[in-house]
Amino acid sequence: MSEETKLSHIDASNRASMVDVSGKSTTIRIATAEAQVRVNEAVAAQFDGTELVSKKGPVFQTAILAGVMGAKQTSSLIPLCHPLPLDSVKIDITFADRTATVRCTAKTTGKTGVEMEALTGASVAALTLYDMCKAVDPGITISQVRLLEKSGGKSDYQA
Amino acid sequence: MSEETKLSHIDASNRASMVDVSGKSTTIRIATAEAQVRVNEAVAAQFDGTELVSKKGPVFQTAILAGVMGAKQTSSLIPLCHPLPLDSVKIDITFADRTATVRCTAKTTGKTGVEMEALTGASVAALTLYDMCKAVDPGITISQVRLLEKSGGKSDYQA
Amino acid sequence: MSEETKLSHIDASNRASMVDVSGKSTTIRIATAEAQVRVNEAVAAQFDGTELVSKKGPVFQTAILAGVMGAKQTSSLIPLCHPLPLDSVKIDITFADRTATVRCTAKTTGKTGVEMEALTGASVAALTLYDMCKAVDPGITISQVRLLEKSGGKSDYQA
Amino acid sequence: MSEETKLSHIDASNRASMVDVSGKSTTIRIATAEAQVRVNEAVAAQFDGTELVSKKGPVFQTAILAGVMGAKQTSSLIPLCHPLPLDSVKIDITFADRTATVRCTAKTTGKTGVEMEALTGASVAALTLYDMCKAVDPGITISQVRLLEKSGGKSDYQA
Amino acid sequence: MSEETKLSHIDASNRASMVDVSGKSTTIRIATAEAQVRVNEAVAAQFDGTELVSKKGPVFQTAILAGVMGAKQTSSLIPLCHPLPLDSVKIDITFADRTATVRCTAKTTGKTGVEMEALTGASVAALTLYDMCKAVDPGITISQVRLLEKSGGKSDYQA
Amino acid sequence: MSEETKLSHIDASNRASMVDVSGKSTTIRIATAEAQVRVNEAVAAQFDGTELVSKKGPVFQTAILAGVMGAKQTSSLIPLCHPLPLDSVKIDITFADRTATVRCTAKTTGKTGVEMEALTGASVAALTLYDMCKAVDPGITISQVRLLEKSGGKSDYQA
């Protein structure tokens, strides 16, 4: 099998293994991920109006903070992720058509990419939206959790 | 607004707040959640064949363990979740049609439900599948993260 | 020395030691602690006006969430604290005379008190206020971190 | 409002946000913070005499270790703090006039300051002193938690 | 294979799995584990004399606290361990014949045993002894990490 | 006493203290540690045969992942260890004569060695083997936990 199509975390003896990045160069690496959270009409009604007078404010603030803090826990959660310092984690949430769209951008100056930090940040923010709204709609569904783009490593990516 | 449709984590002054469960009764509470992970043909090809000779074995084992450990970190990740002991966390992964379906069931004997534990376990397992396979397919998408059922509390739920 | 005036965490051979609570009864235990955060005029000016249009909103929301999450980490931070489930953590912040007053109430149904959870929650919320405002006033001072009251154990306390 | 007086963690849309430090230079950054812990006569009596024969030894050792370990958890506790490696954390405690004075100095070679690490280390050490002595004096009060000095960044600070 | 000789954490389909303890009864469960740390003459010389004037004091105090705190992290470290409250963790260290013997006793009132907490506490204390003394003797060896006894569950054990 | 034989973590006033590494140079540092896990015949019988059809596969996979994740928690577990990014953690387990030999190699590009990360990774993997097999053999003993070699710092070491 060609180098490009190998699973990087499975070694020759079919065992899970962290990638050795000691030979990689230190660059600024950025990744952005997304998650979509679909709520019912009852939740959407609570988010109606401007952020200042709706429930959207505290719900989204809580999700944003949880996402930022979750991104910082990535290497504790994902077994083969490298622990690394982070220069920035930024989370935005927009709401339209009963769907909250969470975007998380992570940056590091390091030897390995931060896709997992961006994806973990977006996922934890989305799970927090679920937690904050589940009393009204336990059927909330999170979808489209995916990498939008990354840059700074050997190969860039654009969804 | 009626009691049933209030966001439980937003208090009267519009601030985020943990629910006080000191008056709730201690019961066995169970919740099951799901996440679907859609991979491309190149990843699917690596999972082909029986688990013993494909890459599926170590990839799925890693995701299962990450999900179990992630479920145990739920109250550290989700700001307003209660820390509680867990009686069991179980994760299963099946694979068909280029889609890995993760199911996580959490159990506690406690005063509050374990939906968030089940959802967090399923999400972390799904994120770990992404991490293990991203070298082959960075476009992997996680969808249908949702609660399938819960029981043991004031109101049961079935998706 | 009488039993009442002994340091509970120092054993007979002068070594640090966790208290054995296996023989204590399980009761609802509540504790409330406070911390005061003194800011300069420039910070106070940013908090001026109603919460909806001042910076106070996101700053206080962040501190409240950090305090709740910090309270949940108490047994990881304070070496001889018992890990225990929590029924509730509640944080309120009021602001007057350039001073933010943080109050944290913690509840458990357990064998040992939650003073340290209340104090840790108040302290982490106060530290977060510092972090959020330090660009404007690095001289912010946290004072009066203390237990206000506790109940539910062998001996109640009122400051 | 001028750049100098803006709250760095609140963005243009009034939301909590981590500062992006990717453009900052890597320098040795040092910060020292203090906390004062006021105890009653009964506690002070136990600390009387040399450290070798008083309770002061194990109490202070425990607080020092808790403070060092707490400083290392800063980015997990303070929502918008950057995770970063630490070159050193040092904690000293002196005792006079019924007051334990905790000083914590943190150092990093990094892109952002370590005020929060110093303040968190001092606070956790102070909270641990409370925990170790609360059986004798539940009215212990922590005050004067503040930054004493920092250097190595864009602007130095001296209290 | 008979029930008694099955690996409890491997399920019928040969996958790692947490044991479901929801049907077990809540009892006081105690476990004691040991670890032995063998040092060279140079380290032993530093421990010579009474604890008050030798290096043994701060080295052992640090190891004891690390062991207690490590025991509290057991369910975060051991993938299939249940998170549970702890009633007590106690660590003692004795030194003779160039060997420090660490004993850790853990107690819970819960549905599952605390062998892993006792073993993890003993191991972390032993690793901390290594860390504290490695500048003098990097060849320090930890041995005889084992369960001494446990009680309170379905079957007691005595080494 | 000569510089070489001092305990680096005990300062002049006999208190535990983190070493200040701010003046050290950033180099690639590698350390390898070992742990041996001795099991009884009943456990060994379950490991018999090739990994694909024995219980060895999931047991060893779980231990490997736990060890990698444990190594990443080193600075949270060992009080005076520096938090640092890791370039790689690799764990191998071999089995012969009723003894599983765990080897853990850790790498960083940093200012201080990674002996403790290697030793912690090996220990957590060994403890996980114990946990996975304790239902069959609670008498499993972990021995020979030691540093095999380290390089990249001021002085290399070879066991």
Side-chain angles (χ1 to χ4, degrees), chain D residues 86-98:
Chain D
L86 288 169
D87 289 345
S88 168
V89 177
K90 184 161 182 55
I91 294 196
D92 286 309
I93 307 180
T94 55
F95 187 74
D97 297 328
R98 286 174 39 204

Side-chain angles (χ1 to χ4, degrees), chain C residues 44-59:
Chain C
Q46 306 230 12
F47 290 167
D48 208 32
T50 72
E51 192 160 327
L52 298 183
V53 293
S54 76
K55 300 294 184 195
K56 200 165 52 186
V59 168

Side-chain angles (χ1 to χ4, degrees), chain A residues 119-158:
Chain A
L119 284 160
T120 301
S123 292
V124 172
L127 288 167
T128 300
L129 289 179
Y130 183 98
D131 185 46
M132 302 291 286
C133 301
K134 70 181 190 294
V136 175
D137 178 11
I140 289 169
T141 302
I142 300 168
S143 285
Q144 292 298 103
V145 182
R146 64 198 175 104
L147 183 65
L148 294 185
E149 56 182 323
K150 70 161 187 158
S151 62
K154 205 174 55 183
S155 57
D156 289 356
Y157 174 79
Q158 187 83 28

Side-chain angles (χ1 to χ4, degrees), chain D residues 51 69 72-73 87 107 109, chain F residues 15 20-21 75 79 81 111:
Chain D
E51 193 160 324
M69 295 178 85
K72 294 194 277 184
Q73 296 304 318
D87 289 345
K107 277 193 203 180
T109 306
Chain F
R15 290 201 177 165
D20 184 346
V21 300
S75 69
C81 258
K111 295 185 165 196

Side-chain angles (χ1 to χ4, degrees), chain A residues 28 51 60-61 64-65 68-69 72-73 84-90 92-94 107 109, chain D residues 11 14-22 75-85 111:
Chain A
I28 294 186
E51 191 161 324
F60 285 17
Q61 290 270 17
I64 287 170
L65 290 168
V68 169
M69 295 178 85
K72 293 193 278 185
Q73 297 304 318
L84 79 186
L86 287 170
D87 289 345
S88 168
V89 177
K90 184 163 182 53
D92 286 308
I93 307 180
T94 55
K107 278 194 203 179
T109 306
Chain D
D11 66 17
N14 219 29
R15 289 199 178 166
S17 171
M18 195 186 266
V19 176
D20 184 346
V21 301
S22 57
S75 69
S76 299
L77 292 170
I78 309 299
L80 303 170
C81 260
H82 299 83
L84 79 186
K111 296 186 165 196

Side-chain angles (χ1 to χ4, degrees), chain F residues 2-139:
Chain F
S2 71
E3 184 66 29
E4 293 73 30
T5 57
K6 278 203 304 198
L7 298 182
S8 55
H9 288 313
I10 306 294
D11 66 17
S13 52
N14 218 29
R15 290 201 177 165
S17 170
M18 195 185 265
V19 176
D20 184 346
V21 300
S22 57
K24 293 197 179 181
S25 49
T26 296
T27 55
I28 295 186
R29 291 157 191 269
I30 309 179
T32 299
E34 186 177 285
Q36 294 186 0
V37 185
R38 175 85 171 169
V39 303
N40 70 5
E41 286 293 352
V43 171
Q46 305 231 12
F47 291 167
D48 209 31
T50 72
E51 191 160 327
L52 299 183
V53 294
S54 77
K55 300 294 184 195
K56 201 167 50 185
V59 168
F60 285 17
Q61 290 270 16
T62 303
I64 287 170
L65 290 167
V68 169
M69 295 178 85
K72 294 193 278 185
Q73 296 305 317
T74 302
S75 69
S76 299
L77 292 169
I78 309 300
L80 302 171
C81 258
H82 298 83
L84 79 185
L86 288 170
D87 289 345
S88 167
V89 178
K90 184 162 182 53
I91 295 197
D92 286 308
I93 307 180
T94 54
F95 187 74
D97 296 329
R98 285 176 38 205
T99 302
T101 300
V102 179
R103 290 205 176 181
C104 177
T105 297
K107 278 193 204 180
T108 193
T109 306
K111 295 185 165 196
T112 183
V114 285
E115 301 97 298
M116 294 316 301
E117 281 73 9
L119 284 160
T120 301
S123 292
V124 173
L127 288 167
T128 300
L129 289 179
Y130 183 96
D131 185 47
M132 302 291 287
C133 300
K134 71 180 188 293
V136 175
D137 179 11

Side-chain angles (χ1 to χ4, degrees), chain D residues 38-103:
Chain D
R38 175 85 172 168
V39 304
N40 69 6
E41 287 293 352
V43 171
Q46 305 229 12
F47 291 166
D48 209 30
T50 72
E51 193 160 324
L52 298 183
V53 293
S54 76
K55 298 294 183 195
K56 201 165 52 185
V59 168
F60 286 16
Q61 290 270 16
T62 304
I64 287 170
L65 289 167
V68 169
M69 295 178 85
K72 294 194 277 184
Q73 296 304 318
T74 302
S75 69
S76 299
L77 292 170
I78 309 299
L80 303 170
C81 260
H82 299 83
L84 79 186
L86 288 169
D87 289 345
S88 168
V89 177
K90 184 161 182 55
I91 294 196
D92 286 309
I93 307 180
T94 55
F95 187 74
D97 297 328
R98 286 174 39 204
T99 301
T101 299
V102 179
R103 289 205 175 180

